[in-house]
Amino acid sequence: MSEGLRPTRRQIIVGRLIDAGLILFCLAMLLPLVLLVSNAFKTPPDILRWPPAILPRDPTLDNMRAVLADTPLLRWMWNSVLFALLSTAAILTTSAVTGYVLAKFRSRVLNVVFAIILATAIVPFEVYMIPLFFNVQKLGLLNSTAGLLVGYLVMSFGIFLIRQNVIASIPDELLEAARVDGAGEWWIFWRIVVPLLRGPLGALGVLAFFQAWTAFAWPLIVTTTKESYTVEVGLALFQTGFTVDLGRLSAAATVVLVPTIIVFSLLRRNFVQGVATSGLKD
Amino acid sequence: MGNNDTSRLGAGPLGRRTVLALAATAFGMALGSAAAQAQTLTVWSGYPEMVPFYQRVGESLKGKYPGLQVKVEAIPLREHEKRLALALPSNSAADVIELANSTAQRYIEAGLIKTAPADAAAFVNNAAYFDPFIQKTAAVGGKVYGVPLFRGQGALFYNTDKFAKAGLAEPPKTLADYTEYAKKLTERNAQGVATVSGWSMRLSGGGAGIAEKFWINLFQNGGNLIEEQADGKWATTYASEAGRKTLRQYIDNVHVHKVVTPEMPADADAFQREQTAMFIRESWVIGDIAQKAPNLKFSTALLPRGTIVAPVFFYSPNEGDKARLAWDFAIAANSPENAVWLLDNVGWLPNRKDVDYSAVVAKKPAFKAFVNYPKDYAFFTLPAIAPVEEVLTRLAARLTKAFGDASLAGNDAGIDAVLKEAAAETDTILRRAGLLASK
Amino acid sequence: MTARGRWSFILAALLPTLAIYAWVRLYPIGDVLYLSLHEWNIIAKVRPFVGLENFVELSTDPLFLEALRNTAIIAFGVLLVTIPLAMVLAALIHARTASRLSGFYETAIFLPHVVSLVPAAMAWKWIFDARLGPLNAILSVFGVQPKAWLFDPVLSILCIVVLCAWQALGFAVLIFLVGIKNLPVSLYEAAKLDGAGPVQSFFYVTVPLLKPITLYVSVVTLVAGFNVYGQAFVLASDAQGAPGNLVRVLVLDMLENAFRNYRVGYAAAEAVVLLVVVLVLTAIQFGALRERGRA
């Protein structure tokens, strides 16, 4: 607000205070994750110690080793990654094409289509999950990545996001100029529209990826064999049934968490910028 | 239109896979069983502690199936039962599934679980091997569907150190004794709050278990939750004198004597950590204690009148050649050596009666209360009717609420009202399934 | 390019998406409505029509009513915690945009939203643990008696609210942050000229102007709250024999009715109730925010 002016002494102090408050709050937000990772390296007596400590007394890799030996954790992670990547690809494709068409072509039919897409966005997935399950069952796709994907092929918010972006950032004149030059519609879409949508598509990609990565209720019913579990389902069943051994549970959780955190930290800028340019205010 | 196109697209690769699988199977059969080197048998289990047993049974079959691989997928029982509901109708369940006969009933009625072949049926019906009770529960409509695996049978587990400290030499004899004992056994802190429960009763946790445990106590008082009538239908019988007595004991123990509370550590876990003095549970706890708390001083005792027996069977969703290995596996699990190993190492009770378990019982006397019992010791089992789960789960939810309701203490009218309302709900479920006996 | 060419492009571009929508959204939604009026046990070939019977039974089913109540408490609890907190945090982070730490703030607050649900819930399960958990350890420093967080029917719902809010916060903050960045600077300068301090301009400029964003975030948060399942599954589920208070939520009750009690029609009726609740809440929120905007 007062950029350009030299901040007063008071402003500096207030800024420092806000920083202090935010740092404390952020640390509190991160604390559960830190504790979890720390527990993964604690020995059994260390975990039972009262009061609980933040850091392990003598760090051990036993929990990690035991978990990797006892469960197909890496397989579950691979299932999740594959599912999330394919889901992201499907959502990006359908959102880009549909969002663009709905933004740049005017017709009453298309308005109805857009209304339907928006309306289904309000219906929670859980509402129609059971019929969708029977649908997948009939196709014989249970326990497969394809079966998992069925629930995650499209994202109404994604179509909305792309449509708003196209309206906000791609002028009609640009497209008309290309048409005058004799460019085909598909050429325009691939060569002009998609490159201009790189930002929002990146953001949507991150959203879609993590949406599939953290999916729970759907994979819980679509997968029934150990090999086909996603990491969320595998861990949830592991924790309710096999062991109350906190060290091992934490180790398993850590194996899953750390890559997530790294990937997100790398993609954060992309994500924030994408959302920031998404023109959500409409 | 678009709809169908997409579905066909989706089914395409799978169709190809099925064809490949069929071709591979045909090829395998053409080569004959001699080449059936790397056969895989998938077992779905709801009891993670059974995994080593299955591996062992697999080993014992190596003579007949040299390359046999046994893949056991064990998950918590509730989730196991749910995955069967999801997988059996779509024919994507494992080769061998492990299930209580009461739960299997529904799938048998629907034809999703197949009959056992003649040799397996003859094995089960051999009077030298199994009790008539087991044989009866293995069959539906006169046809054998299941091969016995083990049975869950309840008894009292008590901590002998804690009993000695409280000056108690003998296990309790009547249900009234249980409460008196519990009062003496409860350990309290300076504020009088219980830190070690005198008697860990199942008070919380979702699911049918609470109602099942309630039934065990009710049975000591001469009652049952539901009873089969002459016409083969069922009557709800717990809104009764026995029911009131049973629920009152729970409520008195929680709210009047305060020997146990819903949030205290409970069950086998608490018993192993000496956080409860006694509790009623199945024999697997013996195996569990041996693993997790080998130094615990404990003993077991018969219940006053009798106990629950919940037989678990092997079933198969397949028939013919496809199920051959599955049934060989189920029969091998009942070999004398495997039966003894099961009792000794896992702790679930095998059903073979012509096998000598005395060595295991001599080594682990806690098994006595499970295998040696007087002639008049009574048994009951969960009814093999399709909605049994729903009956138990819904009753359990009401019981949980009642256990936590302090206003029911000394309030017989309130207790009766709880039971009456719950019984009406049970009636509704039975009526919907066409199983309610006319009064 | 001819009009026909354009239409063939539109068709080719839209048809796959529309087909997918028909297959994985419209058809199942229609099927839920259909099933809710029928009785079906998964296995049987027949699905008798029962009219509104399922709904009539739901209206007196104690487990369903408990699930509905718990879910509503959780959803509104999360909403009440998340929205104000997120708005304040977004304003504070915005005020420190220039700070080198702003990236850290965004990451730290957003991370819980993307980490896998189950591991995160496991962390919280330990924090709430009655015997070993840090929460009771911290409270005992202040002389508070240890509480059985996950066993008490009221406290266990509170725990789920905390977990869900922890997860939902990052998304809300991010969206608010975007909103605040897009607000016209001139309005703040005008407010400043009128003598408003930063706190006043937050309440009199930021909050009212963020109304559309607030609407969007509230709808998303509330709908997510009504679909709570995984959190309850991990935090307050019942391992056999271990004590625990099962917090019954709608999705859990629905799945139990469908796949444990084999009553798909009945579960579908529950899903329809969930749908109606979500639609009504969305409509009310739109209405409320529009009203307040006019006043």
Side-chain angles (χ1 to χ4, degrees), chain C residues 115-156:
Chain C
V115 297
S116 313
L117 187 155
V118 175
M122 278 152 84
W124 282 96
K125 196 173 184 170
W126 180 65
I127 291 175
F128 290 130
D129 191 284
R131 277 176 306 136
L132 302 171
L135 183 60
N136 274 341
I138 292 169
L139 288 178
S140 70
V141 173
F142 299 101
V144 180
Q145 277 288 318
K147 293 202 164 35
W149 294 98
L150 294 172
F151 304 122
D152 184 281
V154 175
L155 292 181
S156 52

Side-chain angles (χ1 to χ4, degrees), chain C residues 234-246:
Chain C
V234 176
L235 212 53
S237 71
D238 51 324
Q240 263 288 322
N245 181 56
L246 176 82

Side-chain angles (χ1 to χ4, degrees), chain B residues 78-79 81 85-86 89 106-107 110 202 204-206 263 267 273 275 389-390 394 397-398 401 425 432, chain C residues 23 42-43 57 61-63 66 131 148 151 229 233 238 240-241 243-244 256-257 259-263:
Chain B
R78 276 164 70 85
E79 298 305 315
E81 288 168 3
L86 298 170
R106 177 187 296 273
Y107 302 112
R202 181 72 76 86
S204 74
E263 67 272 11
D267 215 79
R273 297 186 197 165
Q275 286 160 336
E389 277 290 329
E390 195 181 351
R394 287 192 175 266
R398 286 175 183 272
K401 208 149 279 155
E425 189 176 58
R432 197 196 314 124
Chain C
W23 172 37
I42 290 192
I43 300 166
E57 193 183 334
D61 177 345
L63 292 189
E66 183 193 323
R131 277 176 306 136
F151 304 122
Y229 173 56
F233 186 98
D238 51 324
Q240 263 288 322
E256 193 166 279
N257 272 320
F259 298 123
R260 280 184 69 80
N261 298 337
Y262 310 90
R263 301 186 65 198

Side-chain angles (χ1 to χ4, degrees), chain C:
Chain C
M1 174 119 302
T2 60
R4 191 138 62 90
R6 198 167 290 186
W7 271 105
S8 68
F9 166 73
I10 292 177
L11 273 184
L14 280 192
L15 263 188
T17 312
L18 291 184
I20 295 174
Y21 259 90
W23 172 37
V24 304
R25 292 277 194 281
L26 299 181
Y27 169 75
I29 293 172
D31 210 17
V32 156
L33 297 174
Y34 170 86
L35 282 171
S36 72
L37 302 176
H38 293 73
E39 191 185 302
W40 185 41
N41 73 357
I42 290 192
I43 300 166
K45 299 270 184 296
V46 289
R47 308 176 177 188
F49 177 77
V50 295
L52 293 175
E53 229 172 74
N54 287 329
F55 293 95
V56 173
E57 193 183 334
L58 276 180
S59 67
T60 57
D61 177 345
L63 292 189
F64 166 72
L65 295 176
E66 183 193 323
L68 191 61
R69 204 194 57 218
N70 287 345
T71 314
I73 294 174
I74 291 168
F76 282 99
V78 174
L79 185 75
L80 287 180
V81 175
T82 309
I83 300 296
L85 190 57
M87 221 184 258
V88 172
L89 283 169
L92 291 179
I93 294 177
H94 181 68
R96 302 301 298 157
T97 311
S99 160
R100 230 176 300 142
L101 289 163
S102 68
F104 165 73
Y105 299 150
E106 277 170 16
T107 312
I109 292 176
F110 199 75
L111 206 51
H113 189 71
V114 289
V115 297
S116 313
L117 187 155
V118 175
M122 278 152 84
W124 282 96
K125 196 173 184 170
W126 180 65
I127 291 175
F128 290 130
D129 191 284
R131 277 176 306 136
L132 302 171
L135 183 60
N136 274 341
I138 292 169
L139 288 178
S140 70
V141 173
F142 299 101
V144 180
Q145 277 288 318
K147 293 202 164 35
W149 294 98
L150 294 172
F151 304 122
D152 184 281
V154 175
L155 292 181
S156 52
I157 292 179
L158 186 76
C159 292
I160 295 184
V161 171
V162 170
L163 169 58
C164 292
W166 177 74
Q167 288 180 311
L169 193 63
F171 181 75
V173 168
L174 195 63
I175 303 290
F176 277 129
L177 205 50
V178 172
I180 292 176
K181 277 182 186 150
N182 286 336
L183 292 181
V185 178
S186 56
L187 280 172
Y188 287 96
E189 273 154 10
K192 208 169 175 186
L193 284 180
D194 287 346
V199 177
Q200 275 110 323
S201 39
F202 173 74
F203 281 108
Y204 295 106
V205 180
T206 312
V207 174
L209 283 180
L210 280 180
K211 205 189 64 175
I213 306 263
T214 312
L215 165 70
Y216 171 72
V217 178
S218 320
V219 172
V220 170
T221 310
L222 206 55
V223 170
F226 265 90
N227 297 328
V228 58
Y229 173 56
Q231 293 87 346
F233 186 98
V234 176
L235 212 53
S237 71
D238 51 324
Q240 263 288 322
N245 181 56
L246 176 82
V247 174
R248 190 168 282 277
V249 292
L250 269 183
V251 176
L252 185 143
D253 198 57
M254 215 165 84
L255 289 179
E256 193 166 279
N257 272 320
F259 298 123
R260 280 184 69 80
N261 298 337
Y262 310 90
R263 301 186 65 198
V264 178
Y266 194 63
E270 278 186 88
V272 171
V273 173
L274 173 62
L275 174 60
V276 170
V277 168
V278 168
L279 289 182
V280 168
L281 287 174
T282 313
I284 291 176
Q285 274 181 324
F286 270 102
L289 280 158
R290 194 168 297 160
E291 281 301 305
R292 230 186 300 143
R294 227 177 273 145

